[in-house]
Amino acid sequence: MLDFAAAQKQALECRKCGLCSGRTKVVFGEGPLNAELFIVGEAPGFNEDREGHPFRGASGLFLDRLLESIGLERESVYLTTLVKCRPPENRAPRPSEVSSCRPYLVAQLSAVDPKVVVALGDLASRALTGRREPVSRIRGRAVPVDGRYVFPTHALSRALYTPADRALIVSDFSRLPELLAADRPTTYETLNVPPEKEQLPLQPGLW
Ligand code: SF4
C-alpha cells in the first residue's frame, strides 16, 4: 500500500485514468492527519478543479455551515473525494475511474485513521460501506468498517436544490458529535438501523 506522502506525490502527477485529460488541477484532499472526522465526496466540480481544493463554491459554503452547526471548523476535518480529477460536465465518475483512484483514498484513510467517515452520496456510500443500497435507504446509519464508522448521507449538491434533502443532511450531521464521542466499533455489525418508518428527518438521539 502507498504511504501518504507517496500517494500525494503520485496523485498530483497521475494519469492512471481518462479523467486526467480534462482536469485543471488534481484535487488530492486536505486536512489534518490526526482528524477524527473524514468526509468523502464524489468528485471535484468546477470550482474545486480550478482552485485545487475540495468542497469549494456553494457546496463548500454549505459544508462549512454544517460543520459550524456541530461546533467544528473545516480546518479540523480531513476532506477529499473518491476521484481526484473532475469528470467532464460533472458526470458521475465511472467504476473504473473510482477503482483507479482508490489507492489514494486508501492511503489517506490509513494515514488519518479517522473515527468517523462521512460518505456523501450514492457512490461514496457504496465505495466505503461495501453495501449496495442507495444512500436514501442507508443514510444516517453508522456502519462499522475496519474499526471506524462510515456514515452515509446525501450529496451536498442535492441539498442545494432539494429542501427535503437539505433537512435530512442537517439532521444526519446533528448526529455526528455523539458518534465522534463514542468508542470505536469493535464489531462488523451495522449499528443503529432503525425500522423503515423511523427513517425521518430531524430525529436526533437515535444512536
Ligand atoms: S481521477 Fe485519480 S486515477 Fe484518475 S487520473 Fe485523476 S488522480 Fe489519477
Side-chain angles (χ1 to χ4, degrees), residues 108-190:
Q108 289 168 310
L109 277 169
S110 176
V112 178
D113 192 21
K115 185 188 290 183
V116 180
V117 179
V118 174
L120 297 170
D122 281 321
L123 287 182
S125 173
R126 287 182 185 139
L128 289 158
T129 65
R131 296 176 55 148
R132 302 179 71 170
E133 297 102 317
V135 77
S136 56
R137 289 186 61 109
I138 200 175
R139 53 150 282 277
R141 306 178 188 186
V143 182
V145 180
D146 295 339
R148 53 182 75 105
Y149 296 108
V150 178
F151 187 76
T153 188
H154 286 300
L156 298 176
S157 55
R158 282 185 60 151
L160 296 178
Y161 304 107
T162 313
D165 287 344
R166 187 182 183 91
L168 290 171
I169 295 179
V170 170
S171 172
D172 289 346
F173 266 72
S174 75
R175 297 173 166 192
L176 290 175
E178 203 171 340
L179 197 55
L180 286 164
D183 292 335
R184 282 178 182 262
T186 54
T187 76
Y188 283 76
E189 295 172 13
T190 299

Side-chain angles (χ1 to χ4, degrees), residues 10-12 14-21 23 26 82-86 97 100-102 104:
Q10 196 171 308
L12 294 177
C14 182
R15 306 191 73 81
K16 284 200 296 180
C17 82
L19 296 182
C20 67
S21 61
R23 73 185 178 217
V26 174
L82 285 182
V83 295
K84 315 305 187 195
C85 303
R86 182 193 182 199
E97 293 159 351
S100 294
C101 218
R102 190 173 178 92
Y104 304 135

